[in-house]
Amino acid sequence: TADEAIWLDEHPPIFPAGTSAKLGDLTDPDRFPAYAAARGGQYTYHGPGQRVAYVMLDLNRRGRDVRALVRGLEDWIIGALGEFGVEAGVREGRVGVWVERKGAGWSREDKIAAIGVKVRRWVTFHGISLNVEPDLDHFSGIVPCGISEHGVTSLLDLGITASMDDADAALKASFQRVFG
């Protein structure tokens, strides 16, 4: 009966396919079940160690601006990662939230969170996924979000040990700052 709600979930291993998914991006179709999702985007992975947040917001009350919604979702994740001291950001032409990784003589950008939404009658569906401590090898069964030239990372992969409760607390605090 709520006008708006957020559900925090953790799935068994699955490959959801957004409305733009290309069959060729499902590189290991027998690895985990693949499901058509009515959200935008391409293939992604959901599974243990990943926080999936389904977001139902009323854009009639918050402004009918889908780009502002996506930017808000990005800012929400960036703020939550900031709670752990992680510098994250968005990249031109790439959806989701990214971190830059550097070592002796190398650097690369890895995706730490994905965004996939649907808007119907100015109400949002689906949402975000944040990699807390998933088995990153599970992403090898797909081309995540259709992007093959970059990797995927998690808080644990970055050396940050955080529980799902820690991630939820960070998401809650950041949500309040971004969406009120």
Side-chain angles (χ1 to χ4, degrees), residues 67-123:
R67 288 183 185 182
L69 166 71
V70 172
R71 183 66 194 161
L73 295 173
E74 292 166 340
D75 289 344
W76 174 32
I77 298 165
I78 291 166
L81 290 168
E83 297 280 320
F84 298 102
V86 174
E87 280 189 47
V90 296
R91 302 297 186 264
E92 185 69 32
R94 290 187 251 152
V95 177
V97 176
W98 300 80
V99 296
E100 185 175 356
R101 312 211 36 207
K102 295 181 180 182
W106 63 271
S107 72
R108 71 174 193 245
E109 293 181 334
D110 289 338
K111 191 172 196 173
I112 193 164
I115 297 172
V117 295
K118 178 179 178 90
V119 178
R120 187 174 62 213
R121 295 186 192 142
W122 296 107
V123 175

Side-chain angles (χ1 to χ4, degrees), residues 121-151:
R121 295 186 192 142
W122 296 107
V123 175
T124 67
F125 296 88
H126 299 276
I128 63 109
S129 59
L130 173 63
N131 296 331
V132 179
E133 57 176 1
D135 182 340
L136 295 177
D137 183 56
H138 289 181
F139 286 89
S140 67
I142 57 169
V143 177
C145 302
I147 301 170
S148 59
E149 58 275 6
H150 297 281

Side-chain angles (χ1 to χ4, degrees), residues 2-34:
D3 292 331
E4 297 185 315
I6 296 174
W7 295 266
L8 301 176
D9 201 358
E10 189 173 6
H11 287 280
I14 59 171
F15 292 137
T19 56
S20 300
K22 298 176 183 112
L23 189 56
D25 286 347
L26 182 60
T27 59
D28 189 353
D30 297 325
R31 186 166 195 174
F32 301 124

Side-chain angles (χ1 to χ4, degrees), residues 32-57:
F32 301 124
Y35 295 98
R39 59 150 173 81
Q42 299 185 36
Y43 279 103
T44 193
Y45 164 78
H46 290 331
Q50 182 186 67
R51 176 54 77 214
V52 177
Y54 293 96
V55 181
M56 185 181 74
L57 298 176

